[in-house]
Amino acid sequence: MCLAIPALVHELLPDGMAKVGLDGVLKEISTALVPNVAVGDYVVVHVGYALTRIDAAEAERTLALLAEAGAHA
Amino acid sequence: MSGEHGEPRLRRRRLDVAGGRVDMSHGAGGRASAQLIDEIFRDAFSNEWLAQGNDQAAFRVDLPPGARMVMATDAHVITPLFFPGGDIGALSVHGTINDVAVGGAVPLHLAATFVIEEGFPLADLKRIAESMGRAAREAGVAIVTGDTKVVERGKADGVFITTTGIGIVPPGIELGGDRAKPGDVVLLSGSIGDHGVAIMASRENLGFETAVVSDSAALHRLTAAMVAAGGTGLRLMRDPTRGGLAATLNEIAHQSKVGIRIREDDVPVAPQVAAACELLGLDPLNVANEGKLVAVVAAERAEAVLAAMRADPNGIRAVAIGEVIEDDRFFVQMTTAFGGGRIVDWLAGEQLPRIC
Amino acid sequence: MKHVDEYRNGALARSIAATIAREADPARLYRFMEFCGGHTHAISRYGLEDLLPENVRLIHGPGCPVCVLPVGRIDEAIGLARHPKVTLCTYADLMRVPASGGSSLIRAKAEGCDVRMVYSTLDALRIAEAEPDREVVFLAIGFETTTPPTALAIRAAEARGLANFSVFSNHVLTPSAIRAILEAPKTGRLPPVALEGFIGPAHVSVVIGWKPYEVFATEFGQRIVVSGFEPLDVMQSVLMLVRQVNEGRTEVENQYVRAVVPEGNRAAIELVDEIFELRDAFEWRGLGSIPHSALKLREKYARFDAERRFTIPPSAAKDNPACECGLILTGAKLPADCRLFGTVCSPETPMGSCMVSSEGACAAHWTYGRFRDRARRAATTRGGAA
C-alpha cells in the first residue's frame, strides 16, 4: 500500500500547493500536511499530497550503512 | 469517398472550416456530404484513385511469383485526439502500416473510415485529415478509398477512425507469431512506454506534465531492412501497442509454445517515462507504444538484423533484450536488475494508475 | 530519481544478501512478515526472495487496503453509486475489485452509474465544485498514509461551503491489524503465526511514527524494523532483523530514518484526530472483524459522512468459503497451497482478497513469482520421498 515517491520542490504556489518534479516530470501537489516546505526540499508524495520532507543527512547516513552492510562480502 | 459536383454555375459557399461544425447533413449522403469529402478529405489525401470519385479504388497489383498479400485493419479511438508527438490521424495511418509491415510486407494502400460525432469542429477534422495525408505521403502509401458517417451528439467521442491496409510480402518471407524457437534472440527497436506516458500526461485528470512525446511512427522501412538482413532467420515481428511489451511477449510465447527470458537491464526506458510510471504506479512493460517493434531472430542472424535496425532512424536504439527458451508453461520471465527472477505477465484488466 | 535510484543498486543488494547469508545461522529459521503491500510489491518486483538464503523467509502480510476491504463494502459503494444523483469518485485501485454477484465498480459504471477514477481527493473536490447538481461521494480507502488526504478534503469542503461533497470512509489502522495477527493464538480467530519479526510499514510510519509499534516489542516480544519501500531498504531491514534474532533482541528499529521520525507527522495526526474517530469494529477481508481497526467521521462532520447522508442498502455478502486468504495473510500457507490459486482465482477473476490488488500476496505471486512453484513442488516431493 501507500505508493509514495520522493520529488523535488520546484516552486511554491498559492493555497498550500507546490510544483514538484521527478526527473523532468512535473506535478502540482498539496503541501498542507508538511509545514514550511521550501524550494529545493525533497518531499514524499502520496495521492497528490506531500507527507513529509526527506532528511538529506539521514539519507546520507543510510547510504553509508548500506555500503557498510555490503562490504566484506 | 464518392461525391457529386454541384451545378456548374451555382456558386456554393465553401465550408466554414474555421468556425463550423459537423452536422447530421454531412453524413446524409447529399450535397453536404460531398462537400465535406471534397474540401476536407480529397485535398488532404490527394491521390489519383481518390480523385476518380468512385465507390471503390481499382488498381493493378503485380505480384512476383511466390509473393503473398497481407491485409490488416485497426480501429482508432483515443482521448485526447491531439497529443504531444501526434494525433489520431497520423496514428491511424502509422498503426495500420505497422500491422502490415510487421508481417514482413511492403505496405501498398490504405482505406479509411470516419465515424464523426455531430458537432465536431471542422477545423479539428481538417487538421486530422491533413495529418493523415502527411503521414501517408511520408510513408509512400496512399489512402485510396474511404467512408464517412456522422452520428448524433453523444453517440461517439469526437471522431473514430478505422484504417485498413494491404501490402505485399516478398517471396520466401514467412513470418508468424508461432515461429519462435528456443535459442532465438529477442530484439526490441527502442525505448518503451513513450506513447502511453505522452497520452496519460495530456489527460487533464492525472495532472502531470512531461516533455515525453508519442513515438508514433511508420515502421515499414525499418521492417524492410530487417527482412533483407534476416532472411529466413527472421521468425517474426510485432508492434507492442496496447498492453505494452509484456503483452506482446506473452502473445509470442503462447503462439509459439515457448518461454521467453528477458533482461531488465537491457530494456530501454527513458528517464521521464520511468519517472511518470513511478508517480502513477505503472510498469513501463505494460505501457503502450506506437512506433516500436519486437522481433524474434535466429541467433546466427541476430547481429545482422540488429545492425540493420540501428541503421534506420526508427531503430537507432535497437537492442537484444533476451532469448527464447523451452518452457511448457509459456512463461515470460525477466532477470531483474538485482539478479532475481520474476514473471512478466499480461496486464490484468485496464491499465489504471495505482495509489497502492 | 534522487532518493530512489540509490536504493535500487543491484550489485549492492547482492553484497548485502551475501552478508545476510553469512550472518544467518543455518540452524535457525528466520520468518519475517512484511506487513505492507508496498514491501510485497518491491520483494516480488525485484525478485528479492531469490537473493535470500533458504532459511530467511518473507511472509506477505495483510497491508493492502484494497485486498482487505470486504465484499460487503464494495456492494455498499455500488449501492451508493446507484443513487441517480450520486457521482462516486475513487482511486483506480478499487475499480476492478469484485463485489457480490460478479459485479464491480467498473461494471456498475458500464451499467450507467456515474463512477469516476480520481488520482487525488483534490480531484474529487474539483468535481464537486464544478458540478453542484451532483452529490459527489468520495469512496475513501487506505491505511494511515491515505487518511490525512481524505481529512484535508473534508476540511477544504467545509471551508468552501461545499454542500454536495461527502466521504464513504473505509480507512483502516495498521497497529490494530498487527495486534490481531499477534493475538491470534489467544483469540483463536486467526491461525497462529510463527514469526521472528516484522518488516514494518514505510509510509504509514511516516504519518504515525514508530512509537505505536513499541507495544509489540514490550507486550508480545516481537521485533519490528520500520523499512522504506525500495529494495535496498528491504534488504537492510532483513539484515537488521537477522541481527536482532541472533543477538536475542526484541526491539523496534527504524531503517527508514530519512522519512520516519519517532512521533510521525504531528500535523497529519492532529488533523485526522479532529475529523475521524474509532469504529467499534470493522470487517477485514480474510481476517474477519477486528476491534477498533477503522475510522469513521466524527459527529461534528456528519454532514460529510456518506453513511449518514444516504440510505445504503446493507450487504450480507460473505467471502468464498474455499478461499484460504486468512491462512495466507497470516503466513500459515503459501499462495500456491490454496486450491483456488491459478484455477478459478487469478488477477482477472479474483475470488479472495489476496488476489485483488497487485500488492496482494497471491496476485504478487501470480504476477511475478509463480515460475518458482514447480521447482518448489519438486523439492517438496523429493524431500518427502527421502
Side-chain angles (χ1 to χ4, degrees), chain B residues 76 88-98 110 132-133 135-136 139 143 163:
Chain B
H76 298 270
I88 189 172
L91 188 70
S92 70
V93 169
H94 295 154
T96 295
I97 287 178
N98 293 348
L110 294 180
M132 286 181 80
I143 301 166
T163 50

Side-chain angles (χ1 to χ4, degrees), chain C residues 40-188:
Chain C
T40 307
H41 191 82
I43 289 160
S44 316
R45 163 78 184 70
Y46 293 92
L48 299 187
E49 277 165 294
D50 289 345
L51 303 185
L52 296 174
E54 200 275 328
N55 59 331
V56 177
R57 296 186 193 159
L58 301 175
I59 291 154
H60 312 316
C64 158
V66 176
C67 303
V68 297
L69 188 65
V71 175
R73 295 297 280 188
I74 296 282
D75 287 349
E76 287 167 17
I78 292 173
L80 265 171
R82 291 214 167 104
H83 281 266
K85 288 199 76 177
V86 165
T87 294
L88 188 78
C89 296
T90 194
Y91 298 125
D93 308 56
L94 274 179
M95 296 294 282
R96 287 190 315 111
V97 177
S100 0
S103 191
S104 66
L105 287 168
I106 216 160
R107 293 215 175 142
K109 182 169 183 272
E111 287 160 15
C113 296
D114 188 1
V115 179
R116 302 193 206 172
M117 187 271 288
V118 294
Y119 177 79
S120 170
T121 54
L122 297 167
D123 302 331
L125 282 176
R126 235 169 263 140
I127 293 171
E129 275 181 320
E131 302 178 35
D133 295 340
R134 303 294 300 167
E135 279 285 345
V136 174
V137 178
F138 179 67
L139 168 51
I141 53 150
F143 286 101
E144 291 88 338
T145 324
T146 317
T147 313
T150 306
L152 272 180
I154 291 167
R155 175 168 278 182
E158 185 185 38
R160 297 179 206 173
L162 277 179
N164 64 330
F165 178 82
S166 60
V167 167
F168 182 51
S169 172
N170 295 280
H171 286 300
V172 286
L173 301 173
T174 308
S176 316
I178 295 179
R179 175 172 285 275
I181 292 168
L182 291 174
E183 285 181 342
K186 198 168 78 189
T187 59

Side-chain angles (χ1 to χ4, degrees), chain C residues 151-379:
Chain C
L152 272 180
I154 291 167
R155 175 168 278 182
E158 185 185 38
R160 297 179 206 173
L162 277 179
N164 64 330
F165 178 82
S166 60
V167 167
F168 182 51
S169 172
N170 295 280
H171 286 300
V172 286
L173 301 173
T174 308
S176 316
I178 295 179
R179 175 172 285 275
I181 292 168
L182 291 174
E183 285 181 342
K186 198 168 78 189
T187 59
R189 278 189 289 114
L190 290 170
V193 201
L195 287 177
E196 279 68 41
F198 284 88
I199 297 175
H203 297 128
V204 162
S205 308
V206 164
V207 173
I208 67 171
W210 54 257
K211 292 249 172 212
Y213 311 125
E214 280 183 322
V215 60
F216 303 122
T218 53
E219 191 179 325
F220 295 92
Q222 262 302 346
R223 305 167 183 92
I224 295 191
V225 174
V226 168
S227 169
F229 277 151
E230 295 302 332
L232 283 191
D233 291 323
V234 176
M235 293 301 285
Q236 188 180 26
S237 301
V238 169
L239 178 60
M240 289 165 80
L241 283 166
V242 166
R243 286 177 176 167
Q244 279 205 36
V245 173
N246 289 352
E247 294 161 16
R249 290 182 286 125
T250 54
E251 295 169 4
V252 178
E253 288 185 286
N254 182 13
Q255 181 277 337
Y256 197 27
V257 281
R258 63 187 183 277
V260 173
V261 293
E263 63 284 357
N265 180 335
R266 289 306 317 167
I269 293 170
E270 281 162 20
L271 175 75
V272 168
D273 191 46
E274 153 75 18
I275 290 169
F276 289 98
E277 64 185 353
L278 281 178
R279 289 179 194 266
D280 293 337
F282 194 72
E283 184 78 16
W284 291 54
R285 202 173 182 183
L287 297 181
S289 179
I290 302 180
H292 301 129
S293 64
L295 298 174
K296 61 179 180 186
L297 273 73
R298 287 187 185 278
E299 185 62 40
K300 190 179 159 198
Y301 292 91
R303 65 188 187 284
F304 297 107
D305 187 350
E307 286 178 83
R308 291 179 171 104
R309 213 158 139 153
F310 299 93
T311 318
I312 305 173
S315 162
K318 287 271 174 284
D319 288 346
N320 184 326
C323 172
E324 304 205 84
C325 279
L327 292 165
I328 292 164
L329 286 175
T330 50
K333 281 200 173 185
L334 292 173
D337 297 333
C338 174
R339 60 194 174 81
L340 301 185
F341 180 82
T343 53
V344 295
C345 185
S346 72
E348 275 82 13
T349 54
M351 305 300 286
S353 63
C354 309
M355 194 59 98
V356 168
S357 141
S358 68
E359 293 201 339
C362 292
H365 184 64
W366 175 267
T367 307
Y368 298 117
R370 68 186 189 275
F371 67 95
R372 295 190 186 92
D373 290 344
R374 189 179 285 174
R376 197 175 70 87
R377 268 198 305 276

Side-chain angles (χ1 to χ4, degrees), chain B residues 205-206 250 264 271 274-275 278-280 283-284 327-329 331 333-334 336-350 352-356, chain C residues 1 8-10 13-14 41 44-48 50-51 66 91-93 95-96 106 117 119 123 146 231 347-348 358-359 366-372 374:
Chain B
N205 62 349
L206 293 179
N250 275 286
E264 183 169 29
E278 285 293 336
L279 269 174
L280 297 173
D283 189 334
D327 184 349
D328 58 8
R329 301 161 300 179
F331 283 164
Q333 296 184 46
M334 182 159 84
T336 72
F338 276 55
R342 63 167 269 205
I343 293 257
V344 173
D345 211 354
W346 265 296
L347 185 68
E350 194 187 353
L352 297 171
R354 292 189 302 126
I355 65 143
C356 64
Chain C
M1 289 174 280
R8 294 184 183 175
N9 177 334
R14 287 189 292 276
H41 191 82
S44 316
R45 163 78 184 70
Y46 293 92
L48 299 187
D50 289 345
L51 303 185
V66 176
Y91 298 125
D93 308 56
M95 296 294 282
R96 287 190 315 111
I106 216 160
M117 187 271 288
Y119 177 79
D123 302 331
T146 317
E348 275 82 13
S358 68
E359 293 201 339
W366 175 267
T367 307
Y368 298 117
R370 68 186 189 275
F371 67 95
R372 295 190 186 92
R374 189 179 285 174

Side-chain angles (χ1 to χ4, degrees), chain C residues 17-32:
Chain C
T19 305
I20 293 171
R22 205 171 49 242
E23 295 191 16
D25 178 352
R28 265 189 162 135
L29 202 50
Y30 301 83
R31 291 158 298 188
F32 304 135

Side-chain angles (χ1 to χ4, degrees), chain A residues 1-2 4-6 17 22-23 27 30 32-34 42 44 46-49 51-55 58-59 62-63 65-67 69-73, chain C residues 1-4 6-7 12 15-16 19 22 37-38 63 65 91 119-122 145-146 148-149 152 203 206 229 232 236 239 257-259 265 359:
Chain A
M1 168 55 187
C2 313
I5 195 91
M17 301 291 286
L22 181 68
D23 273 13
K27 181 158 181 57
S30 163
L33 294 168
V34 186
Y42 277 85
V44 176
H46 174 63
V47 298
Y49 293 82
L51 291 181
T52 191
R53 209 184 330 263
I54 294 271
D55 184 326
E58 289 290 6
T62 298
L63 289 172
L65 282 172
L66 282 167
H72 334 289
Chain C
M1 289 174 280
K2 188 165 165 59
H3 296 303
V4 176
E6 304 93 305
Y7 304 92
L12 188 48
S15 309
I16 297 172
T19 305
R22 205 171 49 242
Y91 298 125
Y119 177 79
S120 170
T121 54
L122 297 167
T145 324
T146 317
L152 272 180
H203 297 128
V206 164
F229 277 151
L232 283 191
Q236 188 180 26
L239 178 60
V257 281
R258 63 187 183 277
N265 180 335
E359 293 201 339

